[in-house]
Amino acid sequence: MGRRSLYLGVIFSIFLFPGILTSQKPQTEQSEPLKQDAPTDVKVPLLKVPLRLADFEGMEPRPELRDRLAMVKGFIQQVPRDGEPATEKTEVWMGRTASTLYFVFLCSDHSPGLIRGHLARRENVQKDDYVAVLLDAFQDRRKGVLFEVNPAGVQADAAWTENNDPDYSYDQVWDSEGRVTSKGWMALVAIPFRSLRFRQSGPDWGVVFARNLPRNSELDYWPRVSARISGTLSQEGTLHGMGGLTESHNVQLNPYALAQNERNLIDLDPLNPYFSSRHLEGTAGADGKAIFKDSIVLDGTLNPDFSTVESDQPQFTVNQRFAVYFPELRPFFLENANYFSTPIRLVYTRNVVHPTYGVRLTGKVHETNLGFFVIDDRAEGETVAPNDPLYGKHALNAVGRVSQDFGKGSSVGLIYTDQEFGGGWNRIGGVDATLRLSNTWTTDMQWVESSTRARHEDGGGYAAGPATFIDVSRQGHSFNLWTTAVDFSTGFQTNLGFIQTNNIRKNHAHASYQWFPKQKTLQAWGLEGDEAFATDHAGNRVYRYISADPFWLLPRNTVLAPLVGQNSDTLGPQNGYDLAHNVNFTENYGGLVVKSAPWTQLNFNVTALRGGNVNYYPPVGAEPFLMDQQTVQVLFTLQPMRQLTADNVYLLDRDHATKSGAFVYEAQTFRSKLNYQFTRAISARVIVEYDTTLANPAQTSIQRTKQVGTQALLTWLPHPGTAVYIGYNDDLQNLDRSLCNRLRGGACDPDNPLPPRSLNFLNDGRQVFIKASYLFRF
């Protein structure tokens, strides 16, 4: 794995505190002492009329409603004081009509002036005060749907899979309101049953309610969700009275129309780059959805458009030994992606670049989870020369996944993936399992085998080989541990998935221990260590990375963590370098991580490291060598006013040769995303990113590059699926106007496919568009 992702990602694996502490001492809700036998279920009454936030003036229900509603209270902290009563009182009142499920949160607050609630884009509520409803309609304690609302009424929703991050690409139609009062704040969550999937025969649903208080670094739950037990849904409560529902039967059609002016450099085939221009072009497409048997969903897409998808979050990408992973951002591929996730990432839909159509079936029948999809890709036929018989042909991608749940949190599954193009294929099949050994111990394992045939034009070569994965983890309040062993054989390949390299055996272990002193100024402190080690199948060492750090969690959601470690990379003739034998490049490093949210207008995360790196791309004929390296990563968000959010990223990677001190390269990135929210439905967003790499050609073969990307988008989004977008995308790079290294006859040089660079910018992509879509629900 990439070394930066290793020691930057690991340090935050335990920093789960969602907010900051105020200087005022929190007042514990003494009226609701912790009870070990506190109720964990509630019956939802049937109402004749819908609930409104206006029914709760004065932070209490109207007298005639009080006896008709159900209510839960007695929230318990998970952080920072696991198991203690919440510092502020929270009540959840609930009921349902024949078509909609209603929750009203009454959130008392001794300091209502300190409540955080920005008017932001949908999904952007995690830095504010917010309340949440997590529903498990199948009561399988594995998958659920999360609904969140902040004091401004801004929504966020996500697909929930136990022991994974929430998937906020999930979008459903539901209603919300939020209001700050002199006693705290209130929120209404109204979820139509047609926006949910459930068993018609099931009278009970699982549920978890949550409240986030960022100034107290506090996360409260009903029922109690202990950090000493692995999982959240494994500790869910029960909603009774949910039987006899039929509203999940529905059909949705979401057509769009797009008008655009576009000019792009098409360089999928580096030997045939050209500009494509479209003037006042119109196009259309559609997504569709149908739900059968209350729990099976059939999705389809025709001519999908991704012009409104924002650019990738910046990462360190220069001089990387292995491929860098970028997450999927396109909505069609993100929805229900958890049905296809396995320990080995066999489905990485960013490998599907230019689809025309796609069909996906997901759902659950009793204890069996089902996932199937088929999608084409025009990009495979666009990367070959125009005189190639496969030019213009489409690749076909298919995935099938079935898993069976059993016990409390355990499952066993099968997966099959297939990519077919030009008479060649890449096919993978295998089995996997998740075993919940106890409340704190879990193990995941997988075995798969690949079969790959190159296309006829490439000689039809064949390769095959297995891959295995096993992971054991412990999740507790103080002690956390995970260890992973992975083996990718030399013949293993996945065209539709993502692995950094094959022919590798690697082990990775991480352990941490935390103490929780009952002090105002120190919420927790602890120690953690990490080791990763890898060899190839011939026994050659690939790398060994070790790190350790103490960490302190302080008021105002502040984290301090000084880092120390050692990285050792091994390179040899088997890696394609002109080396007579293996060489170990060992570098010590040290640095500091600081994370804080001192005020409601600012939060930041800074990592600064000084150590070493290997020059993986020396000049032609030279050997790799050790470099002194400085890296800085700064992420900071400014919210100077209620409607404005500015998310900023700065990356610096500066390297000099260790022996001579000669400058090798310097890579910098600055990205700023500004969003102004006029109303909950209308927003304006601008993203500007500048990337530059300065390189010394005497020390490295890395190219000198400059790039400026701009995205501007005006959005009207009353609810998911119905929207109007007006956008502008632009990209500038220091590309030479020849577009490739030309031979005397004018053809591109096949021995030097890298595009030539220039001192000046060339606009290689510009788009102006207007897009409209409407969601029809039947």
Side-chain angles (χ1 to χ4, degrees):
M1 65 189 306
R3 292 179 300 161
R4 284 193 195 87
S5 63
L6 175 68
Y7 53 68
L8 294 183
V10 163
I11 186 66
F12 296 109
S13 62
I14 56 173
F15 298 160
L16 306 177
F17 292 82
I20 64 170
L21 280 174
T22 178
S23 57
Q24 177 182 0
K25 184 176 180 179
Q27 302 180 37
T28 301
E29 186 187 342
Q30 298 294 341
S31 60
E32 298 184 26
L34 174 61
K35 297 180 181 179
Q36 297 299 325
D37 56 350
T40 60
D41 61 343
V42 59
K43 184 175 182 179
V44 181
L46 182 64
L47 306 176
K48 295 182 179 180
V49 295
L51 277 183
R52 302 171 302 163
L53 211 55
D55 296 325
F56 292 81
E57 295 293 339
M59 297 276 287
E60 59 182 26
R62 289 187 288 110
E64 62 270 26
L65 271 178
R66 179 178 290 270
D67 293 335
R68 300 177 186 175
L69 302 175
M71 187 267 285
V72 299
K73 59 181 181 178
F75 279 56
I76 302 299
Q77 294 184 50
Q78 185 190 70
V79 290
R81 308 294 182 198
D82 187 28
E84 294 189 7
T87 60
E88 300 286 359
K89 180 181 178 182
T90 305
E91 296 179 350
V92 185
W93 296 78
M94 67 198 79
R96 70 173 180 91
T97 62
S99 62
T100 307
L101 181 60
Y102 295 93
F103 302 100
V104 175
F105 287 78
L106 304 181
C107 304
S108 300
D109 199 309
H110 292 89
S111 302
L114 299 179
I115 293 172
R116 302 183 180 189
H118 293 89
L119 188 61
R121 286 180 68 89
R122 197 175 192 272
E123 316 291 4
N124 193 15
V125 304
Q126 281 71 40
K127 296 181 177 69
D128 288 339
D129 285 77
Y130 68 83
V131 293
V133 179
L134 177 56
L135 293 175
D136 175 13
F138 291 92
Q139 278 195 307
D140 62 6
R141 299 177 182 263
R142 293 169 177 85
K143 291 182 173 64
V145 183
L146 179 67
F147 301 90
E148 299 172 339
V149 180
N150 77 352
V154 178
Q155 301 179 353
D157 48 18
W160 182 278
T161 302
E162 279 291 85
N163 300 316
N164 287 275
D165 293 331
D167 177 8
Y168 285 97
S169 65
Y170 173 93
D171 286 319
Q172 279 295 349
V173 178
W174 52 290
D175 294 317
S176 63
E177 291 183 62
R179 186 185 308 167
V180 178
T181 74
S182 60
K183 299 179 182 179
W185 66 284
M186 307 185 294
L188 168 71
V189 177
I191 310 168
F193 290 119
R194 65 164 52 194
S195 295
L196 299 170
R197 294 158 57 185
F198 50 83
R199 297 171 298 184
Q200 183 177 353
S201 60
D204 299 332
W205 290 9
V207 69
V208 175
F209 299 115
R211 179 182 177 184
N212 180 45
L213 291 88
R215 72 176 188 273
N216 287 1
S217 296
E218 183 176 340
L219 186 59
D220 306 327
Y221 285 100
W222 184 97
R224 180 185 175 185
V225 176
S226 174
R228 295 177 171 86
I229 299 176
S230 176
T232 300
L233 292 179
S234 60
Q235 305 176 66
E236 68 187 16
T238 304
L239 293 181
H240 301 296
M242 303 303 294
L245 303 174
T246 60
E247 287 288 344
S248 73
H249 296 281
N250 70 87
V251 175
Q252 299 180 11
L253 183 63
N254 192 194
Y256 80 86
L258 174 74
Q260 65 176 346
N261 272 357
E262 184 180 42
R263 182 176 184 268
N264 284 318
L265 174 63
I266 307 300
D267 58 356
L268 292 172
D269 179 4
L271 301 183
N272 183 38
Y274 63 94
F275 277 97
S276 171
S277 297
R278 303 174 183 180
H279 301 288
L280 293 177
E281 179 195 56
T283 187
D287 293 337
K289 184 187 298 289
I291 298 179
F292 307 99
K293 299 292 184 181
D294 299 306
S295 60
I296 302 297
V297 178
L298 178 66
D299 292 287
T301 186
L302 180 65
N303 194 30
D305 172 71
F306 307 119
S307 57
T308 61
V309 176
E310 70 177 61
S311 58
D312 291 306
Q313 189 76 359
Q315 298 188 55
F316 291 105
T317 58
V318 177
N319 192 51
Q320 296 296 302
R321 184 175 183 181
F322 302 118
V324 178
Y325 175 82
F326 286 91
E328 176 65 88
L329 299 175
R330 297 170 295 178
F332 178 80
F333 294 106
L334 285 167
E335 185 176 359
N336 292 333
N338 54 358
Y339 279 88
F340 304 97
S341 62
T342 60
I344 300 173
R345 196 184 301 273
L346 298 178
V347 179
Y348 180 53
T349 50
R350 288 192 66 140
N351 289 327
V352 181
V353 179
H354 195 185
T356 305
Y357 68 87
V359 179
R360 178 180 60 227
L361 181 74
T362 56
K364 184 162 190 173
V365 179
H366 302 297
E367 301 301 316
T368 304
N369 303 285
L370 305 172
F372 304 93
F373 78 73
V374 176
I375 194 164
D376 79 328
D377 190 3
R378 287 173 279 188
E380 295 291 338
E382 295 169 340
T383 59
V384 298
N387 59 355
D388 192 302
L390 293 177
Y391 181 76
K393 302 296 184 181
H394 296 198
L396 186 65
N397 304 282
V399 177
R401 169 90 170 129
V402 178
S403 64
Q404 181 73 26
D405 299 334
F406 64 93
K408 295 183 177 181
S410 298
S411 63
V412 61
L414 301 170
I415 190 169
Y416 178 80
T417 72
D418 186 10
Q419 183 188 74
E420 305 275 340
F421 179 68
W425 68 74
N426 174 243
R427 300 166 182 166
I428 300 176
V431 61
D432 61 274
T434 295
L435 304 178
R436 187 180 175 93
L437 306 177
S438 69
N439 284 339
T440 55
W441 288 93
T442 304
T443 183
D444 299 290
M445 57 192 73
Q446 186 171 16
W447 176 89
V448 294
E449 181 95 15
S450 75
S451 171
T452 305
R453 173 77 68 185
R455 64 184 188 137
H456 298 320
E457 285 72 13
D458 294 331
Y462 181 78
T468 57
F469 176 103
I470 184 167
D471 172 89
V472 178
S473 63
R474 183 192 190 278
Q475 179 180 329
H477 183 231
S478 296
F479 178 54
N480 290 273
L481 168 73
W482 53 261
T483 180
T484 301
V486 181
D487 188 342
F488 295 133
S489 66
T490 304
F492 179 78
Q493 298 179 35
T494 171
N495 292 351
L496 192 56
F498 180 89
I499 62 172
Q500 291 186 313
T501 185
N502 59 4
N503 186 24
I504 194 170
R505 294 188 175 110
K506 53 185 179 179
N507 296 275
H508 190 184
H510 176 82
S512 65
Y513 195 93
Q514 297 183 78
W515 290 266
F516 299 89
K518 294 186 177 182
Q519 299 179 12
K520 178 181 177 182
T521 58
L522 182 60
Q523 292 181 336
W525 70 279
L527 300 170
E528 66 176 347
D530 191 274
E531 181 181 25
F533 180 77
T535 65
D536 65 19
H537 281 251
N540 299 298
R541 195 178 76 158
V542 179
Y543 60 72
R544 185 184 184 190
Y545 306 145
I546 303 173
S547 67
D549 61 271
F551 56 88
W552 296 269
L553 281 68
L554 307 174
R556 300 184 181 275
N557 198 28
T558 299
V559 175
L560 298 176
L563 288 167
V564 294
Q566 183 182 87
N567 293 326
S568 181
D569 289 88
T570 303
L571 301 177
Q574 69 277 4
N575 304 116
Y577 295 106
D578 188 18
L579 295 169
H581 54 81
N582 287 342
V583 179
N584 293 329
F585 298 92
T586 301
E587 322 95 35
N588 298 320
Y589 70 88
L592 181 67
V593 175
V594 180
K595 172 188 174 185
S596 186
W599 308 287
T600 184
Q601 298 88 355
L602 171 68
N603 69 81
F604 63 85
N605 189 332
V606 179
T607 302
L609 298 172
R610 187 181 183 94
N613 195 11
V614 179
N615 184 358
Y616 297 112
Y617 299 93
V620 176
E623 297 180 356
F625 57 85
L626 195 62
M627 301 183 294
D628 294 327
Q629 181 184 52
Q630 294 174 296
T631 60
V632 177
Q633 176 179 280
V634 180
L635 295 82
F636 63 101
T637 298
L638 300 174
Q639 295 178 297
M641 58 182 68
R642 184 169 178 262
Q643 297 102 325
L644 180 63
T645 301
D647 295 312
N648 305 281
V649 178
Y650 174 72
L651 303 178
L652 169 67
D653 178 5
R654 181 182 294 134
D655 295 72
H656 291 77
T658 300
K659 289 185 177 181
S660 66
F663 171 77
V664 181
Y665 75 88
E666 178 182 280
Q668 294 190 73
T669 296
F670 180 78
R671 182 181 192 261
S672 184
K673 179 174 71 172
L674 285 80
N675 186 84
Y676 189 87
Q677 203 74 25
F678 299 96
T679 67
R680 281 175 53 189
I682 302 174
S683 65
R685 183 190 76 196
V686 176
I687 301 175
V688 179
E689 181 174 335
Y690 176 68
D691 299 275
T692 177
T693 301
L694 300 176
N696 180 356
Q699 299 291 325
T700 179
S701 59
I702 294 172
Q703 287 189 304
R704 179 181 182 272
T705 62
K706 294 187 295 182
Q707 183 174 9
V708 180
T710 305
Q711 291 182 306
L713 189 68
L714 181 65
T715 301
W716 176 66
L717 180 69
H719 60 74
T722 296
V724 175
Y725 303 97
I726 301 174
Y728 172 79
N729 299 324
D730 185 85
D731 189 70
L732 299 170
Q733 292 196 59
N734 65 324
L735 293 172
D736 189 85
R737 296 182 182 277
S738 64
L739 302 183
C740 69
N741 296 284
R742 302 283 178 177
L743 299 173
R744 286 188 177 183
C748 296
D749 185 356
D751 296 326
N752 189 9
L754 290 177
R757 297 290 170 168
S758 168
L759 296 177
N760 301 315
F761 280 114
L762 175 67
N763 193 309
D764 66 333
R766 178 179 293 163
Q767 180 190 34
V768 180
F769 67 90
I770 180 169
K771 178 181 177 181
S773 63
Y774 189 84
L775 178 63
F776 296 93
R777 308 180 82 191
F778 307 100

